[in-house]
């Protein structure tokens, strides 16, 4: 179930020049975010990240113009801050007194930081192969952290077993994380003077990113800020856990869980995304696709991106770049097309691939 807005009311505000605001965070779009009373907004300055023009990487891959949405510049270093800022704020407004979630790392750090800022406890469940710096950051923000043997699905099971009326912020199981992620789509379009690129490359695990961005364009169209044009949405996954790619290739609506998967891109290790149908729907309606890449490409691509762009990217973003390279090589994306690549987070905490 999605949050819905009084689009006609927002449209009137736009006509009077009040949208978006001058705020340099995702709250510039507050009329299209779910929090009603501003006193509940727990902001650490998330969003309004730069849409960088790639200097060298795009040309190296065979593109005239590549833009990189640099989500590593969010308060805790990843795009998870958008969703969790919105979810913590809205659920506080609805009366939540504590939060819990299973996470592969970045969402855990975000939840811990926003819960700390809100002054409420956070309970974090992470697979035991999550690099130590993620645990350390969560602890620094005062969260209870639990190590669980297995994948994020096992961490979720353990959280539900122990849950003591904590508000569950698991990916796509409550509606507000998607609302925060949606602002990525607003920003990409606004930073391109209210147009859309030809293609967006999203490293995809649980799918809030791709689902949120897709929702943004429908709202912008309803507001008259863009027309019916849409970017092709491409999900990039590791070949070590690629349930979305498999479902797209098979042309099915049913996501089979990916059994015994493994990948260095820990945030993409989601064997059975809860919102699989929404992800597949966004990809198919956009005319895009899904691409799987080899894990051994991750480290070389991180090093290459560091050298070519001066960016320390996370392994998930390296999967996105490897996916983009495959799409260019196969002729699916052309030299002249405008492509936006999400750098979903920084690489500093990933001691597993250093
Ligand atoms: C850095 C990074 N990129 C991408 C993803 C995948 O995001 P989503 O679950 O929204 O598909 C994650 C999820 O943990 C992540 O941490």
């Amino acid at each position: 179930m999605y949050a819905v807005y009084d689009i006609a009311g927002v449209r009137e505000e736009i006509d009077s020049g009040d949208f978006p605001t001058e705020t340099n965070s995702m709250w510039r779009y507050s009329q299209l975010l779910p929090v009603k009373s501003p006193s509940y907004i727990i902001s650490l300055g998330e969003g309004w990240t730069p849409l960088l023009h790639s200097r060298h990487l795009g040309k190296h891959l065979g593109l005239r113009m590549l833009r990189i949405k640099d989500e590593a510049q969010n308060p805790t270093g990843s795009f998870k801050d958008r969703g969790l800022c919105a979810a913590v704020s809205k659920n506080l407004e609805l009366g939540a007194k504590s939060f819990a979630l299973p996470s592969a790392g970045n969402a855990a750090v975000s939840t811990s930081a926003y819960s700390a800022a809100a002054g409420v406890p956070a309970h974090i469940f992470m697979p035991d192969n999550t690099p130590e710096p993620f645990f350390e950051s969560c602890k620094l923000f005062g969260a209870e952290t639990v190590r669980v043997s297995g994948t994020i699905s096992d961490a979720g099971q353990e959280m539900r077993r122990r849950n003591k009326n904590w508000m569950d912020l698991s990916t796509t199981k409550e509606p507000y994380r998607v609302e925060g992620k949606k602002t990525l789509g607003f920003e990409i379009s606004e930073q391109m003077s209210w147009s859309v690129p030809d293609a967006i490359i999203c490293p995809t695990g649980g799918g809030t990113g791709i689902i949120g961005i897709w929702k943004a364009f429908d709202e912008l169209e309803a507001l008259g800020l863009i027309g019916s044009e849409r970017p092709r949405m491409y999900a990039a996954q590791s070949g070590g856990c690629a349930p979305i790619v498999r479902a797209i290739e098979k042309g099915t609506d049913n996501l089979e869980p990916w059994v015994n998967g493994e990948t260095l891109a820990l945030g993409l290790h989601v064997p059975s995304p809860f919102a699989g149908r929404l992800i597949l729907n966004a990809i198919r309606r956009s005319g895009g696709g899904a691409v799987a890449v080899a894990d051994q490409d991750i480290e070389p691509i991180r090093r290459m991106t560091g050298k070519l762009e001066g960016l320390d990217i996370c392994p998930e973003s390296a999967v996105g770049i490897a996916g983009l390279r495959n799409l260019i090589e196969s002729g699916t994306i052309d030299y002249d097309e405008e492509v936006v690549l999400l750098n979903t987070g920084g690489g500093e905490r990933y001691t597993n691939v250093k």
Side-chain angles (χ1 to χ4, degrees), residues 106 131 134 302 314-316 346-354:
N106 285 307
F134 288 100
R302 286 182 72 203
C314 59
E316 292 81 357
E348 299 82 355
R349 293 192 182 97
Y350 288 84
T351 47
N352 60 326
V353 278
K354 279 184 180 149

Side-chain angles (χ1 to χ4, degrees), residues 225-236:
L225 285 165
I226 62 170
S228 59
E229 67 279 11
R230 292 290 184 277
R232 305 195 308 277
M233 306 293 293
Y234 290 98

Side-chain angles (χ1 to χ4, degrees), residues 78-80 104 106-107 171 181 203-210 266-268 270 314 316-317 344-345 350:
S78 86
F79 76 154
K80 298 282 172 180
N106 285 307
T171 304
K181 283 280 181 72
T204 301
T208 39
I210 203 163
L266 302 171
L268 308 186
V270 184
C314 59
E316 292 81 357
S317 299
T344 49
Y350 288 84

